[in-house]
Amino acid sequence: MKLPDDRLPERLYSAASVREMDRASIQDHNLPGYLLMTRAAEACVQALYQHWPQPARAAIICGGGNNGGDGYVLARLLIERGVAVEALWLLPPERLKGDAAMALRDAVAADVPVRPFSTERLARCDLIVDALLGTGLERPVEGEFLSAIRAINAAHAAGAGVLAIDLPSGLAADTGCVLGEAAVIADATVSFIGLKAGLVTGAGPAHAGTLHFADLGAPAAVIAAAPVKALRYSAADRGALLGPRARTAHKGDFGHVLVIGGDAGMGGAVKLCSEAALRSGAGLVSCATHPGHASHLLSGRPEIMFRSVGSAEALASMLGRASVLAVGPGLGRSEWGRGLWKAALATALPLVLDADGLNLLADAPSRRDHWVLTPHPAEAARLLGCSTAEVQSNRFASAEALAERFGGVAVLKGAGSVIASARPEDGVPVVIAAGNPGMASGGMGDVLTGIIAALLAQGLTAFDAARLGAWLHAKAADLAVQAGGERGLIAGDLFIPLRRLVNP
């Protein structure tokens, strides 16, 4: 799986917005639809040769509408370049209309073999192009289209390359969820006019592969008028948010993070969170944790002020010295953990809430403006009173619902983490364009909590701390993977690249 790189546009759109941009370009600005189709196919040629410089035999699987039309134009362009290509249709050619029908006629005139789809033909190809279904798909894929998707995926598993035109067939353009039983798994996807939001979150990254984008020359006025669904965050403002420190700076200038958690047997969670806060630039970090392991933790990281806390009453003096709280890592839900959680929430301090801090919030919901919630999908489901599948079916709506219900900022973790704020001035949700499957290991969430808390302590707003913190976390994991691969990545591996990233 590859998430998008920083050369892609930041703005993300719904399928309806992209269709309106397409319509406005054609009808209001007199751009011929067939010209846009040709430009789309040309962009596919460029992406194709970037990934497969010498394709020997290609099959282009064509549906109806503009997506199929793009496929027929691409077939013509490839055969003109000497590639052995055939177009395999699922919608009979006589049913095509408009620009798609013109694309088919031109392909036939260029001697492109046009045949009905069959699974057997895919076995002869080293490259398959998915031009089956476009962005208009809104219901589960069934019948012969589902069979074709499964056949494409089987050929891909056997070694064939797969390029998706605009969107992998079977993937929801707006949400990144799979509509039905299967969606095409592509090595690369070329998206047109506006980057679809579903390509960068949920199942989108795993199905889209490497993303390419072409605006097809759509007029700037058309693009500017289209409503944005979300933004793909690439930390272009990192230097402004983490500017150079004054030469006269001292530790009191960068905040005091208090980490609260680590019930018996869970001291590692608060150690990771606390060290992440230090590595992210907090001036001071204290940790209130269970008496059973406070002294042991201190010996492992003496820069952190670990303190044995047996009850909520013993926490009071530490709360008075802190500027930001990080509550939840290893907290548990015993009376000890509940007492500390209630004491933390009784303050007016900004805080980051994670793990059992979120589970306790689900038991006793409340709302406040100055906190950041960092749930994974199962925790989000408990907070919203729904299933994990429902959360994942629309990650944008889920993140926005969390922010609306509980206030502050919500970071819905996962592939393409989504961040939403309850404050209208923070704008649309953002998606984190970094991260990898190696992050699916214990302790990663504790590190994220510490990073966000440290950024809050250094004066960033909750929304800025959440989006930059999530990006730093994911990007540090990507850099750590470069040193040794995804399998076996552990949370502590993020600390060294993290330190480099917070010093832009």
Side-chain angles (χ1 to χ4, degrees):
M1 178 186 75
K2 293 183 179 180
L3 283 171
D5 63 28
D6 294 343
R7 293 169 294 178
L8 293 167
E10 290 189 350
R11 294 182 174 188
L12 302 171
Y13 297 94
S14 68
S17 289
V18 176
R19 286 195 294 271
E20 172 57 22
M21 285 190 275
D22 186 67
R23 184 210 63 77
S25 297
I26 295 169
Q27 297 181 13
D28 300 342
H29 293 266
N30 301 315
L31 272 178
Y34 194 69
L35 174 62
L36 295 178
M37 191 172 283
T38 301
R39 288 175 177 174
E42 289 169 344
C44 289
V45 170
Q46 293 180 13
L48 187 153
Y49 277 99
Q50 181 177 328
H51 290 270
W52 301 278
Q54 295 180 313
R57 191 173 186 87
I60 301 179
I61 319 303
C62 298
N66 287 346
N67 203 245
D70 294 341
Y72 287 118
V73 177
L74 176 59
R76 173 172 58 81
L77 295 181
L78 289 179
I79 209 163
E80 289 171 356
R81 287 162 173 77
V83 178
V85 61
E86 57 184 358
L88 306 179
W89 53 262
L90 273 87
L91 190 72
E94 60 271 16
R95 292 177 57 185
L96 295 180
K97 298 177 182 179
D99 293 329
M102 185 185 302
L104 172 61
R105 288 195 298 269
D106 287 351
V108 171
D111 294 327
V112 173
V114 178
R115 302 184 174 99
F117 173 82
S118 71
T119 301
E120 292 75 19
R121 292 192 175 277
L122 299 188
R124 310 171 193 171
C125 299
D126 60 347
L127 174 63
I128 299 168
V129 178
D130 166 24
L132 266 177
L133 300 167
T135 58
L137 182 67
E138 296 179 349
R139 63 180 186 275
V141 182
E142 299 174 339
E144 59 184 358
F145 282 86
L146 177 59
S147 298
I149 289 172
R150 286 174 168 159
I152 292 170
N153 287 345
H156 182 255
V162 176
L163 175 72
I165 294 182
D166 208 21
L167 189 78
S169 293
L171 187 74
D174 290 357
T175 64
C177 69
V178 174
L179 291 170
E181 298 178 16
V184 165
I185 299 172
D187 298 298
T189 297
V190 188
S191 183
F192 310 126
I193 301 183
L195 193 62
K196 286 74 181 172
L199 289 169
V200 297
T201 194
H207 285 264
T210 300
L211 284 178
H212 300 262
F213 175 74
D215 64 16
L216 307 187
V222 168
I223 295 173
V228 176
K229 182 178 178 65
L231 295 174
R232 191 189 61 86
Y233 186 66
S234 59
D237 57 355
R238 177 168 54 118
L241 294 174
L242 299 174
R245 291 183 165 183
R247 295 301 90 188
T248 56
H250 59 85
K251 60 189 178 184
D253 293 334
F254 307 115
H256 186 164
V257 174
L258 172 58
V259 178
I260 301 172
D263 200 350
M266 293 185 284
V270 285
K271 182 176 184 296
L272 287 167
C273 182
S274 300
E275 184 164 354
L278 271 182
R279 294 294 187 183
S280 302
L284 291 166
V285 178
S286 296
C287 178
T289 191
H290 193 275
H293 48 237
S295 59
H296 172 69
L297 292 175
L298 179 63
S299 65
R301 182 51 70 196
E303 299 90 344
I304 300 166
M305 295 175 283
F306 289 99
R307 181 170 171 180
S308 172
V309 176
S311 66
E313 290 73 20
L315 189 63
S317 62
M318 299 185 76
L319 290 171
R321 294 193 298 270
S323 56
V324 172
L325 307 181
V327 183
L331 183 66
R333 284 183 270 183
S334 66
E335 287 305 309
W336 177 86
R338 289 179 186 274
L340 268 60
W341 180 83
K342 290 178 180 178
L345 265 63
T347 73
L349 292 170
L351 60 85
V352 184
L353 210 58
D354 186 33
D356 279 321
L358 296 168
N359 292 326
L360 291 169
L361 179 63
D363 293 339
S366 64
R367 179 185 171 90
R368 60 197 296 172
D369 296 329
H370 52 286
W371 62 9
V372 178
L373 311 181
T374 62
H376 56 58
E379 290 163 343
R382 287 191 282 274
L383 288 165
L384 294 174
C386 64
S387 68
T388 302
E390 288 174 303
V391 168
Q392 292 292 78
S393 70
N394 192 331
R395 288 171 54 78
F396 295 103
S398 297
E400 290 178 302
L402 287 165
E404 175 63 27
R405 182 172 300 186
F406 296 98
V409 177
V411 180
L412 179 57
K413 297 183 289 194
S417 293
V418 179
I419 300 162
S421 172
R423 298 195 325 159
E425 56 266 41
D426 287 329
V428 297
V430 300
V431 183
I432 302 305
N436 63 78
M439 299 173 74
S441 64
M444 286 289 176
D446 305 318
V447 171
L448 174 62
T449 299
I451 295 171
I452 296 174
L455 296 177
L456 284 172
Q458 292 169 81
L460 275 67
T461 68
F463 190 59
D464 285 342
R467 61 182 182 155
L468 179 58
W471 182 89
L472 289 167
H473 180 246
K475 194 68 173 180
D478 287 344
L479 293 175
V481 160
Q482 292 177 12
E486 294 175 351
R487 189 172 283 108
L489 183 72
I490 61 173
D493 293 337
L494 273 58
F495 291 142
I496 298 304
L498 175 61
R499 184 183 172 194
R500 294 201 302 269
L501 289 168
V502 295
N503 289 280

